[in-house]
Each structure stands twice: as structure tokens, then as C-alpha cells.
Amino acid sequence: MEKDWMPPKSRPEDQKVGLISWAGTYLTAENYGNKITAVAKGLGRRQTWELKVCNEQDEDCQAVVRLQSIYGHILLPEGDGSVYCGCPRNAQHGYFLLRFHRHGKWTLQCMITGHYLESDGEDVFCNSRVLSAYHMWAPRPALHVHVMLYSPITCCYVRASPEQGCVWVDTPVPYLEECGFLLHFHEGLYHLESSSHHFLSQNDRLVNRPSPQTAFHLQLRPGGQIALGDGEGCLLYPQGSHALLALGSSPMGGEEWFVLQHCTAWIAIKAKNRKFITIVSDLEVCAISERMTPMSFFQYKSNPNTNAVQLRSVTGRYLAQRSHRAVVGDGQKQEPRAIFCVNWNCGKIVLQAANGRYVGITSNGFLIASSLHPGPCEEFRIRLINRPFLALRGRYGYVGTSSEHDQMQCNMDQPDCIQLLPCRQSIYHFQAQSGTFWSLTAYGTFHPWGKFALNFCLELRGSNLLAVLAPNGYYIRADSSGVLLADSEAITNECLWEF
């Protein structure tokens, strides 16, 4: 089972980073011409770069890479020291030797000229072969901040235990909400916050508030592998027979490295008979359980560009339509019969199987794909299992509050946590961190200090994408002004939120 849950070796999101100069500004691809600057103070789309790795890092702590902007252009240094974005003139043009340094810093040296990429805090150039502090860049993962950490050495995910006040590396299948963490970036350092809103400290304990003792240096390698340390030679890695995540100075065989990945979405599905869909005897699928158990949890894997969805159980197998129209739990990844077409309607879903018929339940609770047209017996409700809160990121940034604005904003560098209070399946109340509720104005904007709870409907539109139907009947969208609005009748790209 452990191998079934190993993260893929290479994903585009693993290679996306922001690069922070010595002055605290970000390497930016401007949207006019092919100009490169380093003026921006936050990580947005134009500050996100995808590493195109020519060869993997070696024992000398280096790799050969190209940097591709959000517009698909390559960062190109010229012989006169200028830097711009464009199309490489030849096979060697645009390659940098990436070296890893103390405290997680990177240097990028042009493979043709030997010059280092640097910035004066505004402009970017590449004209010096003498290494200095001005050539140091701090990589920041561009992945959504709600993450999981996977240990390739132990084949387990990291799990927080608020009851015991510590963190373990002991979970083969990451369906628990305790496997999700928020990776906060603050003043060049990182804080790891658990789903219970505790912070991992350097003394290996979970504490209530962030402080200098919860701040870690992050080392990042191409491919999304990270190591966290105290900056004085100690690193976090699993220790002892129970795999306690703790600082130490003697990691063995690379056990300090973790694969950083977006926290996956797990759901429970309730049928018309008000029972949860459950795997029985490792194969049969029935709506028979009144309570949720791990065997009624499914990882929701969906393509945002289509209505195709796969539902993966904790066994590592997928729901699939078989002979006699039965739906069972022995499907394989990307198997045609394990792919369903999903349609959403006010928080309810309808699943169409590979045979073209709709999935429903028999009188004794078994799943079967037999209906030509969907009716009440073919409608299912969804509940998020491993998400006690949402951290929403849209086209312009994260959803959060700002001291400069009264309304909720959608262009923040860091998110505000939205506590999810389940009302009924797919319907939630949004609670702010202060304990108050989201309120909706007549103009379709939001405030986080309401006294009364409102109903919000969540619709999953991808493996880690959702749309939110607000109480006024409109979808919530990100506006280019930075204001969060509930005024869209249809789901557009601005209505899709990473969570």
C-alpha cells in the first residue's frame, strides 16, 4: 500500500518557485515587453518561475536549469550583462548552473558566460563572475500553502498530534486532516502550522503561537523536496522507534528530505438513503454506513478542464463500473471504467459511469450504474473529510483581510483561514479566525465580522479546485481590483479557487 501513495516523481507545480533577492524583492517577468525586474514585494503570478531541469542535482549540490515565466518565456542572459525573457537562440542559450548554499540560498550562473544572476533591488543583470551576497537568491515554493509532507525514506506522511503535542512521520495514507499543514512564509523563514492551528517549535513540541522558536530555514531542491532546519546545522527528520519529527544533527540516508505536495481533498459521499458509501470486503461498495469510517473516505481526483472524476479509496484502488452494471472498488488509475462524469447541482452530484448510465443505489444499498436518466436516487451529497478550514487562492492571490480595506480581499500574499462549520452535506458556514462569521453586503462584497452564520455551497471543480456559491445565489469570484465579489451567474476562471 505504501507504494500506492507515493507522490509522482515529477509534477509541474513542484518546479514552480519565487526567487527573492538580497533586498527582499522578487524576480519578476513584467507584462510589457520582455522586461525583467526585481521590485515586487510579494509572490504573484508574474513572480512565479518554473524550473526546467536539464539534469538532476548531484553530490556537488548543483543542477543545470532554465527559468520559464508564467507567459511561457525563458529567462535569457546576454553577453553585455542584460537579462530579458524570450525564446532561446540555440540549445545552450538560457541555461544556468544552479548551486545550493547555506541557509537554503541559491546562485544562478550563466552556463555560457559564467556570470551570476543578480539584482540591485530594482533591475536584474548578469555581468559578474565574482560571487558575492548580491548574487544570492532565496527560493520560495509557489505551491499552495496548504501542504502535506511525505518522507521517501519511511514511505509515510507527516502527522500532527495535538493531543500529544508533537508531530510524527507515521501515516502511510494521508486521509487524516492532521496530515495537512499550512506553510507560512515570514521574513525569510517558515512556520509549520497544523490543522488544529498549533505551530511546530524547535524543541519538537506543538505550541499555540508563532515565535522565533517556530521559525525554520527551508532548503528547496528541484522536484519539490524540502528540508527544514534551525540554521545552525540541525535539521528536522524522523527519530526513534515511533518516528518523532525532531531536530537533530545526524540524519541518515537523506531522511531529512521531504516531498512537499498540495494537500489532497478527501470526501465522504452520502446517498439518498442517508447512508455513506463504504468499501466492504475490499471490493463491494454499499451505502450502508450511518457513520463515517476510513473505508467511506475517497480521494477526489478530477480534471478541471473536463467533468471526469476518479474516486480513490484508502485501499489505493478506485471505484469502477463492472459487469452487470455494478460499481465496485477494484479500479486502477486512468482505467476507462474507473472514470466517471460528474455534474454538480446546488451541492449535490450525479455520477455517470463508463456505460453511459447514471450511478444510483439498489434497495439493499449496493451501487449500480443502471439509470438512463438521473433522479433522486442518483443524487449524492458530498462532505469534505480532511479540511476543517479553507485557504483560498485565486487568480490574483489569496483570500484574506487587509488593514487598508474593510472588505475581504483576493490579492493577498498570505491567506486567512476560513473555518468550515458543516451545516449539511456540501453546505457550510464560513467562520473567521476571530470567531465571527462572514457577512454579505448588498453590493456582493464580504466582511469577516458578521454575527449570524450564512450558508455557502462548495462545488469541487478539480482535484484541488472549488467554486463557492454564496447566499445571494451568485458564485464568488476574484476581481482584478483585489475585492472579493459574489456576483457571477456562471463559473468562470475567476470563480475557481485552489484550496
Side-chain angles (χ1 to χ4, degrees), residues 277-292:
I277 304 299
T278 304
I279 302 291
V280 180
S281 303
D282 293 331
L283 179 63
E284 295 180 337
V285 184
C286 304
I288 60 171
S289 178
E290 295 183 354
R291 295 185 178 183
M292 292 183 292

Side-chain angles (χ1 to χ4, degrees), residues 316-350:
R317 300 294 179 260
Y318 296 80
L319 296 191
Q321 180 254 313
R322 296 300 185 210
S323 58
H324 305 293
R325 302 171 182 172
V327 175
V328 297
D330 66 349
Q332 303 293 320
K333 182 178 181 181
Q334 297 305 320
E335 178 190 351
R337 288 184 174 270
I339 299 175
F340 297 84
C341 182
V342 62
N343 287 295
W344 284 84
N345 181 27
C346 297
K348 299 177 182 179
I349 66 168
V350 173

Side-chain angles (χ1 to χ4, degrees), residues 33-280:
N34 296 316
K35 188 174 177 59
I36 302 296
T37 65
V39 180
K41 297 290 187 180
L43 177 58
R45 296 177 72 246
R46 291 186 292 112
Q47 291 76 41
T48 299
W49 298 85
E50 183 177 345
L51 294 176
K52 298 292 186 178
V53 181
C54 176
N55 68 334
E56 297 297 331
Q57 57 267 24
D58 56 26
E59 294 179 357
D60 295 326
C61 295
Q62 60 188 31
V64 177
V65 301
R66 275 176 170 161
L67 295 174
Q68 181 174 286
S69 75
I70 193 70
Y71 304 112
H73 300 145
I74 300 297
L75 185 72
L76 301 172
E78 292 297 307
D80 62 359
S82 62
V83 178
Y84 68 99
C85 262
C87 296
R89 291 192 299 269
N90 53 55
Q92 290 77 37
H93 197 199
Y95 276 111
F96 291 89
L97 180 63
L98 169 61
R99 287 195 177 98
F100 311 112
H101 299 269
R102 180 176 170 81
H103 293 162
K105 296 294 194 298
W106 287 2
T107 55
L108 292 154
Q109 185 179 23
C110 175
M111 293 291 290
I112 297 176
T113 66
H115 296 158
Y116 288 96
L117 187 71
E118 63 178 299
S119 168
D120 60 6
E122 293 184 2
D123 295 319
V124 180
F125 38 91
C126 193
N127 59 11
S128 174
R129 290 190 179 94
V130 181
L131 185 62
S132 72
Y134 296 104
H135 303 122
M136 296 291 174
W137 297 86
R140 177 182 172 186
L143 195 67
H144 188 283
V145 298
H146 198 178
V147 299
M148 303 186 300
L149 292 93
Y150 175 81
S151 169
I153 300 299
T154 65
C155 296
C156 286
Y157 288 84
V158 175
R159 173 185 63 89
S161 175
E163 297 82 10
Q164 296 171 299
C166 52
V167 177
W168 310 95
V169 189
D170 64 355
T171 305
V173 185
Y175 63 83
L176 298 170
E177 68 179 53
E178 290 83 3
C179 292
F181 295 85
L182 289 171
L183 187 65
H184 295 285
F185 178 77
H186 181 66
E187 296 182 351
L189 299 174
Y190 294 82
H191 302 259
L192 202 59
E193 181 182 358
S194 72
S195 61
S196 60
H197 302 300
H198 293 88
F199 294 84
L200 180 62
S201 68
Q202 294 182 14
N203 65 2
D204 316 327
R205 304 296 297 173
L206 289 172
V207 297
N208 292 328
R209 293 180 178 83
S211 71
Q213 280 297 303
T214 66
F216 293 91
H217 293 266
L218 182 143
Q219 300 177 38
L220 176 64
R221 296 290 185 268
Q225 289 205 350
I226 67 165
L228 295 166
D230 62 359
E232 297 179 0
C234 290
L235 296 166
L236 287 174
Y237 59 93
Q239 300 180 39
S241 58
H242 297 290
L244 173 71
L245 186 64
L247 282 173
S249 57
S250 304
M252 301 291 290
E255 58 186 350
E256 74 274 21
W257 292 102
F258 294 87
V259 178
L260 188 71
Q261 62 178 122
H262 198 158
C263 187
T264 55
W266 286 79
I267 63 170
I269 307 170
K270 183 176 278 191
K272 176 68 175 177
N273 63 0
R274 299 185 179 181
K275 304 290 181 63
F276 288 102
I277 304 299
T278 304
I279 302 291
V280 180

